[in-house]
Amino acid sequence: MNRKTLVLTAAAALLTPALAACGSATGGGAGDGAIVVGTTDRYEAADYAPAPLDPAYAYDAGAWNILRQTLQTLMHVPRGGGQPVPEAASECRFTDQGNESYRCTLRPGLKFANGDALTAEDVKFSIDRVLGIKDENGPVGLLSTLDTVETKGEDQVVFHLKAPDATFPYKLSTPAAAIVNSKDYDARRLREGFEVDGSGPYTMTAEVKDNQLVRAVFTKNEHYQGDLKPQNDKVELRTFEDSAAMGRALEDGDIHMMSRTLSPDQIEQMSASPKKGVKLVPMPGLEIRYLAFNTEAKPVDQKAVRQAVAALVDRNELINKAYGKSALPLYSLVPSSIGGHVNSFYNKYGDGDTAAAARLLRDAGVKTPVKLTLHYTTDHYGDGTAVEFETLKSQLNDSKLFDVTVQGTPWSTYRPAQKKGEFAAYGLGWFPDFQDADNFVGPFLEKDNFLGTAYANSTVRGKLLPESRRAGDRTDAAPALAQIQDIVAEDVPVLPLWQAKQYVAARDGITGVEWSVNSISDLQLWELGSGVSG
């Protein structure tokens, strides 16, 4: 998630007409009694991303936050986390001891929002469509272990896997496996624009201004049959330019809740001096941030250079200067709160060790200072990013081992350039697709990985990842996962920096706030209600 990227785009000619009855996108209260949620996620039109809300294309936290409200999946992760449970399905299970065949039975009476019946053929069509389109920006990699999809009658679907994959139920809970209607979606082409149609708890209408989606209005789907229990009839997701504007809207009563992303300063202020009628709600979070390296680009094609960067970074100073209470140091791609985590980078490099970095470069015969540009996006990950990269620059340059410059680029240019391999060293974030260590290593290390990196480790790809996925009891996967994390720390194709804490803020009278965002940063708007909150 992606996860991931966070810009939504579309051709202007295909954009849904603006709503007439929802008020201003930047001021005024909600119309029609809707609960209004603010976000700083950007949804903008651009040629390079024509199908932002097509599940065969969308692979970012912002898009998935819309798809999860509107499209159904066979499974979903319950509000408190844990193992996936049936959603559009009534039952799903592995039918063999090797975790290579997975069968789901659909709930009776499933319908799309337009009233069309939803059958096993629609499930097969939807999954086959993602695999067939195989968009390079899309989530098809999540289905890499899937071989074929078979239907048995109108209500049973059997997934035949290429190799054992105990995480497959989690993957069926993501929008990569969302169910769509063949009347609305072409089997071979992406659906351009902001329209989305499915069988989820809500239908969605988009308001667009200047080629940007500024408001998404979710209305309860009267045909919905599933495991979720919506606590409202209408929710509005409203976008803001920055956290400050979103905060003012909350204080003025123009919105009821602010979600991603509160700034570090807002979190500090709300913690120290709570405002009457507004509550700050902390939540577990699994978002991570990291530096990534194009291992074919100079000077980071030399492992010693990447290792020296890893030794020099002081995560605690970085967090104190840029993020305060909203982040924790991270010494592995796998967050500390996920089973199987190992502090591999701390064990190998510690924090801010100039002597170790000098030794690594000297032993490899690398001439110093090493010239390096660190790239970051200026408008994608929140207010602390520029400070974060200036701090990284200072840490590396203060060692006298590096001569670092930083360069910020708007996301609409940044992500395509990164995918083309134009950056040697660059910052990205990851919002997991599901809560398992596999989702913090596989997407970075498999073939056709999320980064588009040339880095490949045959032991990881050929032995350790398959071995970890055979473990139905996920604790049995820990040894293989530990080896993967140690290999990443040795080779440093990516350098984990920090793990986010999550916060939302809401006005009194809104219930379900504590369940409205789960640990992988998915909005669960169906949990919100109006009433007396604690």
Side-chain angles (χ1 to χ4, degrees):
M1 98 168 341
N2 256 187
R3 167 165 96 290
K4 303 185 278 243
T5 61
L6 196 57
V7 168
L8 302 185
T9 61
L14 295 168
L15 300 180
T16 306
L19 298 175
C22 290
S24 167
T26 56
D32 300 329
I35 296 172
V36 186
V37 177
T39 180
T40 58
D41 288 352
R42 292 177 62 84
Y43 304 80
E44 71 176 315
D47 292 339
Y48 76 91
L53 299 182
D54 189 318
Y57 177 88
Y59 196 24
D60 58 83
W64 279 21
N65 278 338
I66 289 178
L67 298 185
R68 288 188 185 277
Q69 322 306 317
T70 51
L71 302 182
Q72 243 181 326
T73 50
L74 292 171
M75 306 287 283
H76 80 107
V77 176
R79 55 155 56 165
Q83 297 288 325
V85 297
E87 210 292 79
S90 61
E91 179 189 27
C92 289
R93 62 187 179 88
F94 283 105
T95 58
D96 65 327
Q97 293 184 344
N99 294 337
E100 292 185 86
S101 181
Y102 196 72
R103 181 187 298 250
C104 290
T105 302
L106 300 183
R107 291 176 183 270
L110 288 175
K111 294 182 179 180
F112 290 105
N114 66 359
D116 288 351
L118 190 163
T119 70
E121 284 296 333
D122 294 300
V123 177
K124 176 176 169 56
F125 168 82
S126 302
I127 304 290
D128 285 347
R129 180 175 179 272
V130 173
L131 293 171
I133 290 176
K134 198 179 180 181
D135 190 272
E136 64 177 6
N137 294 302
V140 65
L142 279 175
L143 304 176
S144 62
T145 59
L146 178 59
D147 187 13
T148 59
V149 184
E150 178 187 6
T151 61
K152 292 184 177 295
E154 292 193 346
D155 66 345
Q156 290 195 19
V157 187
V158 182
F159 300 93
H160 301 285
L161 306 183
K162 300 173 185 175
D165 186 1
T167 70
F168 191 70
Y170 283 102
K171 295 170 182 177
L172 288 183
S173 73
T174 72
I179 307 166
V180 299
N181 192 334
S182 60
K183 292 182 180 178
D184 298 316
Y185 293 82
D186 191 301
R188 296 179 178 83
R189 296 180 59 188
L190 294 171
R191 184 181 185 183
E192 298 185 348
F194 287 115
E195 289 184 295
V196 57
D197 296 285
S199 57
Y202 297 101
T203 60
M204 189 276 283
T205 309
E207 178 182 345
V208 177
K209 182 178 181 181
D210 296 331
N211 295 344
Q212 293 190 4
L213 177 67
V214 295
R215 189 191 313 248
V217 177
F218 300 97
T219 304
K220 193 173 181 179
N221 174 15
E222 64 180 10
H223 291 298
Y224 172 69
Q225 297 288 331
D227 194 51
L228 306 176
K229 297 174 175 58
Q231 301 300 305
N232 58 71
D233 291 326
K234 183 176 289 188
V235 186
E236 176 186 320
L237 186 65
R238 188 180 299 181
T239 66
F240 290 86
E241 284 297 317
D242 52 40
S243 300
M246 183 167 59
R248 290 191 295 271
L250 183 71
E251 291 182 21
D252 293 343
D254 293 339
I255 64 175
H256 300 105
M257 187 179 103
M258 56 189 292
S259 58
R260 293 183 9 167
T261 304
L262 280 71
S263 71
D265 286 345
Q266 285 175 323
I267 294 167
E268 292 283 351
Q269 291 169 7
M270 289 184 182
S271 298
S273 303
K275 293 187 179 294
K276 185 177 180 180
V278 175
K279 58 185 176 183
L280 181 69
V281 182
M283 300 173 173
L286 294 174
E287 173 194 355
I288 68 170
R289 297 285 178 86
Y290 55 92
L291 277 178
F293 300 102
N294 177 355
T295 55
E296 293 185 330
K298 295 185 180 302
V300 298
D301 57 336
Q302 300 176 85
K303 183 169 74 170
V305 173
R306 305 193 301 270
Q307 291 178 324
V309 175
L312 288 171
V313 169
D314 184 336
R315 291 167 178 80
N316 286 292
E317 180 190 42
L318 182 70
I319 289 168
N320 288 337
K321 288 188 175 182
Y323 297 106
K325 292 183 177 181
S326 62
L328 296 167
L330 182 62
Y331 298 95
S332 169
L333 278 174
V334 179
S336 57
S337 50
I338 291 287
H341 164 85
V342 179
N343 278 327
S344 298
F345 276 83
Y346 187 83
N347 296 341
K348 185 169 181 63
Y349 303 105
D351 254 343
D353 192 335
T354 301
R359 185 170 58 253
L360 286 162
L361 294 172
R362 183 176 61 251
D363 291 350
V366 177
K367 184 179 178 181
T368 59
V370 179
K371 288 186 175 294
L372 179 64
T373 300
L374 301 181
H375 294 265
Y376 71 95
T377 177
T378 56
D379 58 355
H380 191 68
Y381 290 120
D383 300 339
T385 310
V387 177
E388 175 184 359
F389 274 76
E390 286 297 329
T391 303
L392 287 171
K393 171 186 171 181
S394 295
Q395 290 179 354
L396 296 177
N397 286 348
D398 287 350
S399 72
K400 310 301 183 184
L401 300 171
F402 283 85
D403 179 7
V404 170
T405 58
V406 295
Q407 182 174 330
T409 307
W411 181 255
S412 59
T413 304
Y414 183 86
R415 177 62 170 160
Q418 179 268 310
K419 290 282 284 185
K420 292 176 183 176
E422 295 178 9
F423 304 150
Y426 52 93
L428 283 175
W430 179 253
F431 299 85
D433 308 307
F434 53 87
Q435 193 171 333
D436 188 276
D438 179 85
N439 194 235
F440 291 91
V441 293
F444 297 93
L445 304 175
E446 289 182 300
K447 185 180 178 182
D448 301 324
N449 58 74
F450 166 71
L451 297 174
T453 180
Y455 172 77
N457 184 285
S458 59
T459 300
V460 171
R461 289 186 182 177
K463 178 178 183 292
L464 296 175
L465 278 174
E467 180 180 320
S468 71
R469 289 168 177 167
R470 282 194 289 270
D473 182 343
R474 299 307 290 154
T475 59
D476 293 340
L481 291 167
Q483 291 183 62
I484 292 171
Q485 291 167 83
D486 287 344
I487 289 171
V488 171
E490 169 65 27
D491 292 349
V492 202
V494 291
L495 174 59
L497 297 173
W498 53 271
Q499 172 182 344
K501 299 179 184 178
Q502 286 192 133
Y503 294 86
V504 299
R507 298 192 64 83
D508 288 344
I510 300 301
T511 60
V513 174
E514 67 274 21
W515 302 113
S516 62
V517 182
N518 65 16
S519 63
I520 60 173
S521 302
D522 292 329
L523 277 176
Q524 301 179 143
L525 297 179
W526 55 85
E527 297 284 1
L528 296 174
S530 299
V532 179
S533 58

